[in-house]
Amino acid sequence: MKFSGIIVSFSILFTLTALRNAGAQDSCSHQCGELLSTCSCQVTCQSLGNCCPDYKEFCLQISPYSGSLMGGKDFLIENTAFNTSSVLTCRFKQEIKTSGYTAKDGKGHCISPLLYETGFIPFEVSIDDGRTFPYSGTWLSVHHSKVSDEEKCTLVNETKWQYYGTPNTYGNLTLTWTHQALAETHVNVEVWGYHETGDSYSENWLAEWKYLYTLAREIPNTGKFTFTPIPAEGNYSTWDFGILRITPSSYSDGQSNIPSLWSNEHALAWHLGKDFRDDPNAWATAKCMEWDRKEEKLPNFKEEIIDCPCTLAQARADTGRFHTDYGCNIEKGSVCTYHPGAVHCVRAIQASPQYAAGQQCCYDSTGTQILTHDSTGGSTPDRGHDWGSPPFLKPPRIPGFSHWLYDVISFYYCCLWSGNCQFYMKRRPSSDCRTYRPPRAASAFGDPHFFTFDGLNFTFNGLGEYLLVESDLTSLRVQGRTQQGHLPNGTGAQGTGLSAVAMQENNSDVIEVRYSEDLNLEVLLNQKVLNFSEQTWMDLKGLFLHSTPDQNITVMFSSGCGVEIRGNGGFLTLTVLLPEKFMNHTQGLFGVMNGNTEDEYTFRNKTTLPVHASPQQLFEFGANWAIENGTSLFTYDTEFLLNNFFYGEKHSASFLPVFFPYEDPADSLVEEMVSLCGSDPFCRFDVLTTRSLQVGNSTRLSHQNHKLLVEHLEPVISCGWLDHPINGTKNGTNYLLGSTIIFLCSQGYELTGSKERTCQASGAWSGDTPSCIQKIAIEQLILLGCVFGIVGVAVLARLTFLCRKERMLYSKWG
């Protein structure tokens, strides 16, 4: 189904038809999301007043709306009452069936299934034993690590579970859970294992969670279970990565898609066989060597992953392509267990195109990237991206679990359970930043003021809906709506500000961020208002969506384009980040991204304005980029939006803003404005047009943030990693422009080549490669020559050749 201005316009036209039609109404049975001839089953119908009479019966609202992709979550169907004798069947993706039930209050319940993907999953409900499925809704499947701890059972002292059987790690283990989460008096505890079968990177490569055995049966549902692990026997002991599941005892062992509580996925050291207990180091070493041999035969995924940003500032600024690694977060105290010495790590948001691999980049307290060549705390790329990648379902794209199988359990083999970490680091070396190119940033904020990708700025405070940026490279469209500001007395100001931004790339979902009429910030997914109460990160079609607690919204498209939106002083502040590949592929109010400011103000007909165009000329330029209903991505679901933006002009010709606000020395506000704004022209402009210091301050902060962002995204030159000489050391691990690395030799060795090398603007190191030569080697040759009387010219020539080769001619030979 397409979500565009065309669909919305049909919806609005049919609203009038529906209101006039007194005859039979259509039904939403089997039709949710559709626009029917006499009424609507689309989500906008409630605010537009054109819903079919049975819309709420068949188009389901559920609570909770999300849960782990492992399944087993009981969710309530809120808006429909069923007959208590009804037998509910819930069907996900038209193929995966689970048994639902009707509670005593007539409310229906479904159980979410085990899935191998994340994102919104369509589901349907049957009340006739699966013959028809007239009811429908969506369920949000979530990466297992992003589910709250309250929804899982807890491995108390998880480290002990994962090191059990290694030296000094024995005793009892304890599992806890919220007993009210399962409405049974007795429960079972099961062990499940994960594996991927078939040939790597082939059609028969498949993922499977498999029930192994029941650890404890019919124990009281008290919320706690303690036991002493015994080594698994037979084939069970070969499963070293898995999970625990707690289920009501009334269900069969290993029964799928039933009410469940899952633990975190973890290394199953506690259940491994006697051979592991007898000699964990030897067992793990053998596993590490086996993994190393397998890696040798697999494709080199590192050739296609994006390079890391050179600095921590770049990594945190490039929000379209990198996001915080929750295992090492500077905003959560920098608890970086697997990366000692790091204060923050990021992960590449998108998996690599062919092999679905992931990138990780870690930084120290100086903002310098940490490399595995220098430290075990360095960042390591991943054969399987931790967050998975569309279309999911098959290896190595399974969210979380492919990554565990190829990059985490192998770390246990080589680094945590044995002392063979050099094998792991050889296969997972850090990427440096020599080929990293930061994105370009464009911003709009305040009245609004526009900062283009190539660095120009201008003010365009037209009233309407406009194309901010469009690219033929990926069919990217970002559109903005402006509304008139208001003075403190409630009258309209002679200025506007962004009130809504809508965006789409290729055939991705459509995201809109807007201020509602009561000035609450709303995020719409394909015209439906999203609820972030359960999940702040969502895997959607063609994009990822993230919302912070203070409602900063980030949209990350698959191309690497990032869009950041935040509410600020009653107007939206927008930033668009585009990777280098978009050069010469953009148009709109943010200009032509090509490093040339001369063509920044390009009209649709490709004519241009000069760089120093007047505000009135720029007003014409902005008006030229008004959109049409047929290409609009916005949702028009209120009378206000219909009258003012759908039926009204896309650019209001009757609204004339102020171009040069007057600073009246007699105006008492001017003194406060000068104190607040200083020399910031945008802050001063907005204070004068809105008569609001709050709006001016928001503009000032947004301007500062944009300047800081552009500063952080300045290109940085890297000369690449330098090794220390054999039998020597180096001082320094910063390989960026201007950095100097100093080399020293161990005692008994002398340095040849350069004692220090500096990273130059050309991207090359100064000097020559150093080496450390044993001091006594030449003296021993001379002594041997004297003892055996070898003083001939030929020998002398040979000695001279050897000495020259090592650059150590001794003058006493002359």
Side-chain angles (χ1 to χ4, degrees):
M1 178 179 177
K2 295 181 180 179
F3 294 89
S4 68
I6 296 174
I7 297 296
V8 174
S9 63
F10 284 147
S11 178
I12 293 161
L13 292 174
F14 276 116
T15 299
L16 302 176
T17 304
L19 293 174
R20 295 192 196 102
N21 195 318
Q25 292 285 334
D26 286 320
S27 170
C28 288
S29 173
H30 300 280
Q31 302 276 10
C32 291
E34 299 298 325
L35 183 64
L36 309 182
S37 60
T38 61
C39 56
S40 174
C41 300
Q42 296 177 333
V43 67
T44 55
C45 74
Q46 295 184 86
S47 54
L48 291 173
N50 64 337
C51 292
C52 297
D54 58 5
Y55 170 78
K56 288 188 175 181
E57 177 183 355
F58 288 103
C59 302
L60 305 178
Q61 300 296 316
I62 62 173
S63 178
Y65 65 79
S66 67
S68 168
L69 78 171
M70 293 301 297
K73 187 71 173 288
D74 184 322
F75 62 86
L76 167 69
I77 298 171
E78 292 185 316
N79 56 326
T80 298
F82 297 98
N83 190 309
T84 54
S85 61
S86 298
V87 178
L88 267 59
T89 302
C90 309
R91 185 174 68 179
F92 296 78
K93 297 182 64 181
Q94 296 190 325
E95 56 186 25
I96 306 170
K97 293 182 180 180
T98 67
S99 296
Y101 66 94
T102 305
K104 293 179 180 178
D105 60 1
K107 294 292 185 181
H109 292 251
C110 286
I111 308 298
S112 67
L114 169 62
L115 297 161
Y116 292 86
E117 62 184 306
T118 53
F120 279 101
I121 307 296
F123 77 93
E124 306 152 296
V125 176
S126 168
I127 57 173
D128 57 7
D129 201 25
R131 288 189 294 275
T132 62
F133 289 84
Y135 308 88
S136 62
T138 55
W139 167 253
L140 181 59
S141 174
V142 179
H143 190 293
H144 194 57
S145 70
K146 290 185 172 72
V147 173
S148 68
D149 291 339
E150 291 74 22
E151 296 183 45
K152 302 176 185 175
C153 52
T154 302
L155 308 173
V156 178
N157 189 356
E158 189 169 317
T159 300
K160 184 178 179 180
W161 286 74
Q162 299 187 107
Y163 280 79
Y164 199 94
T166 62
N168 304 314
T169 310
Y170 291 97
N172 291 336
L173 296 177
T174 298
L175 182 69
T176 61
W177 64 95
T178 303
H179 69 91
Q180 296 92 338
L182 295 173
E184 297 280 345
T185 58
H186 289 79
V187 294
N188 295 345
V189 180
E190 300 173 346
V191 183
W192 287 60
Y194 179 80
H195 67 169
E196 294 178 357
T197 60
D199 300 322
S200 300
Y201 303 102
S202 71
E203 285 300 313
N204 67 353
W205 202 10
L206 301 175
E208 181 187 25
W209 275 105
K210 185 177 179 63
Y211 165 76
L212 301 182
Y213 60 89
T214 297
L215 180 65
R217 186 173 282 105
E218 295 191 10
I219 60 172
N221 183 14
T222 61
K224 185 175 182 180
F225 170 62
T226 299
F227 70 106
T228 302
I230 59 173
E233 296 181 355
N235 292 332
Y236 294 139
S237 65
T238 63
W239 297 80
D240 47 31
F241 163 54
I243 201 166
L244 295 182
R245 182 176 82 155
I246 302 177
T247 65
S249 293
S250 55
Y251 291 94
S252 304
D253 289 350
Q255 186 174 342
S256 60
N257 302 329
I258 59 175
S260 310
L261 290 175
W262 299 89
S263 71
N264 283 334
E265 68 269 39
H266 60 282
L268 299 175
W270 59 272
H271 109 127
L272 292 176
K274 191 172 183 301
D275 50 350
F276 177 80
R277 297 280 182 94
D278 290 342
D279 193 341
N281 181 71
W283 186 95
T285 296
K287 283 284 192 177
C288 179
M289 298 303 105
E290 180 186 358
W291 171 79
D292 184 64
R293 288 190 295 272
K294 288 180 179 178
E295 280 285 316
E296 182 70 34
K297 299 176 183 178
L298 295 177
N300 182 9
F301 69 89
K302 297 182 288 294
E303 294 178 348
E304 67 165 4
I305 57 177
I306 185 175
D307 252 6
C308 286
C310 290
T311 65
L312 177 58
Q314 281 184 335
R316 300 189 73 191
D318 192 352
T319 52
R321 294 183 291 180
F322 294 90
H323 190 76
T324 297
D325 182 343
Y326 299 112
C328 182
N329 185 354
I330 197 170
E331 295 181 5
K332 297 290 180 68
S334 297
V335 180
C336 305
T337 305
Y338 296 112
H339 299 281
V343 298
H344 193 73
C345 296
V346 296
R347 289 189 182 276
I349 294 165
Q350 304 294 337
S352 66
Q354 182 176 0
Y355 299 120
Q359 178 64 286
Q360 182 193 52
C361 313
C362 295
Y363 302 85
D364 65 18
S365 58
T366 69
T368 302
Q369 188 189 358
I370 306 175
L371 303 179
T372 50
H373 292 304
D374 296 324
S375 167
T376 56
S379 49
T380 54
D382 303 315
R383 183 169 292 282
H385 196 297
D386 184 22
W387 303 334
S389 66
F392 304 110
L393 300 176
K394 295 183 66 175
R397 300 178 181 272
I398 309 300
F401 308 133
S402 289
H403 169 60
W404 250 96
L405 204 60
Y406 297 105
D407 305 296
V408 181
I409 195 64
S410 49
F411 188 74
Y412 278 84
Y413 297 156
C414 301
C415 300
L416 301 182
W417 292 342
S418 74
N420 298 289
C421 212
Q422 70 275 15
F423 288 92
Y424 187 86
M425 296 305 174
K426 177 184 70 175
R427 300 296 181 188
R428 299 290 185 270
S430 301
S431 300
D432 63 20
C433 68
R434 279 176 291 178
T435 66
Y436 172 77
R437 300 292 180 268
R440 297 283 190 95
S443 294
F445 51 82
D447 201 351
H449 312 288
F450 291 83
F451 284 71
T452 70
F453 292 110
D454 289 339
L456 285 189
N457 67 76
F458 65 97
T459 296
F460 168 66
N461 39 23
L463 177 62
E465 295 175 343
Y466 306 94
L467 181 65
L468 303 179
V469 63
E470 179 179 69
S471 175
D472 59 358
L473 187 68
T474 62
S475 299
L476 171 71
R477 288 182 292 162
V478 182
Q479 301 171 351
R481 173 189 294 149
T482 62
Q483 291 181 211
Q484 188 175 7
H486 289 88
L487 300 175
N489 63 9
T491 60
Q494 282 186 281
T496 60
L498 281 173
S499 61
V501 177
M503 66 208 79
Q504 184 183 36
E505 182 176 67
N506 289 323
N507 62 342
S508 75
D509 287 329
V510 175
I511 299 296
E512 180 179 349
V513 182
R514 70 184 187 186
Y515 272 120
S516 65
E517 292 181 21
D518 54 2
L519 292 183
N520 287 320
L521 200 63
E522 294 179 333
V523 181
L524 285 74
L525 168 65
N526 300 331
Q527 304 182 357
K528 180 179 181 179
V529 177
L530 286 174
N531 178 354
F532 290 100
S533 61
E534 295 178 24
Q535 303 298 330
T536 59
W537 177 282
M538 296 183 185
D539 301 356
L540 305 176
K541 182 183 179 183
L543 60 94
F544 294 101
L545 177 66
H546 181 243
S547 174
T548 63
D550 55 352
Q551 287 194 302
N552 285 352
I553 309 299
T554 304
V555 180
M556 297 148 275
F557 287 106
S558 58
S559 67
C561 165
V563 182
E564 295 184 4
I565 305 167
R566 55 190 176 277
N568 219 339
F571 295 140
L572 298 177
T573 292
L574 166 72
T575 298
V576 179
L577 297 161
L578 291 183
E580 189 178 50
K581 64 185 178 183
F582 282 88
M583 292 286 278
N584 293 303
H585 288 284
T586 69
Q587 62 177 0
L589 290 180
F590 282 144
V592 180
M593 188 177 96
N594 60 2
N596 176 19
T597 57
E598 296 297 323
D599 60 0
E600 207 72 332
Y601 304 135
T602 299
F603 288 77
R604 289 183 185 272
N605 64 5
K606 304 306 178 184
T607 60
T608 61
L609 287 177
V611 170
H612 300 293
S614 69
Q616 291 88 343
Q617 289 176 306
L618 290 170
F619 191 73
E620 294 179 17
F621 163 71
N624 182 252
W625 286 106
I627 62 174
E628 300 175 346
N629 280 338
T631 58
S632 173
L633 299 173
F634 289 107
T635 298
Y636 307 92
D637 56 354
T638 67
E639 185 176 348
F640 172 82
L641 293 175
L642 283 173
N643 293 335
N644 288 276
F645 295 102
F646 185 81
Y647 295 122
E649 297 174 293
K650 288 301 183 185
H651 169 75
S652 174
S654 61
F655 178 79
L656 288 177
V658 60
F659 294 115
F660 300 99
Y662 175 58
E663 293 188 14
D664 185 354
D667 186 347
S668 60
L669 186 64
V670 169
E671 184 177 350
E672 293 181 87
M673 176 196 72
V674 172
S675 175
L676 170 69
C677 301
S679 60
D680 188 321
F682 310 107
C683 174
R684 297 168 80 114
F685 188 103
D686 288 4
V687 170
L688 292 173
T689 54
T690 65
R691 308 291 299 172
S692 169
L693 292 171
Q694 179 187 357
V695 172
N697 189 48
S698 296
T699 297
R700 181 181 65 86
L701 293 175
S702 294
H703 186 200
Q704 287 180 354
N705 289 338
H706 176 76
K707 290 191 292 185
L708 191 61
L709 176 65
V710 171
E711 179 184 324
H712 287 165
L713 291 175
E714 281 293 324
V716 176
I717 294 173
S718 169
C719 293
W721 176 74
L722 279 181
D723 199 359
H724 62 80
I726 298 173
N727 300 312
T729 59
K730 66 178 182 181
N731 288 335
T733 55
N734 188 329
Y735 310 111
L736 305 182
L737 178 64
S739 299
T740 297
I741 307 296
I742 300 171
F743 302 96
L744 301 169
C745 288
S746 304
Q747 187 173 2
Y749 292 84
E750 187 162 325
L751 186 76
T752 65
S754 300
K755 293 184 178 180
E756 61 181 45
R757 303 183 73 184
T758 299
C759 181
Q760 304 172 111
S762 63
W765 288 101
S766 65
D768 300 314
T769 302
S771 57
C772 294
I773 305 301
Q774 201 166 7
K775 287 182 180 180
I776 62 171
I778 300 299
E779 295 170 355
Q780 284 178 335
L781 285 172
I782 296 171
L783 179 60
L784 285 170
C786 293
V787 169
F788 292 101
I790 307 173
V791 194
V793 175
V795 175
L796 180 60
R798 178 61 176 164
L799 288 174
T800 302
F801 170 76
L802 290 171
C803 292
R804 280 179 178 160
K805 186 178 179 182
E806 301 298 339
R807 299 182 182 179
M808 293 181 62
L809 268 174
Y810 277 59
S811 60
K812 62 183 179 181
W813 291 5

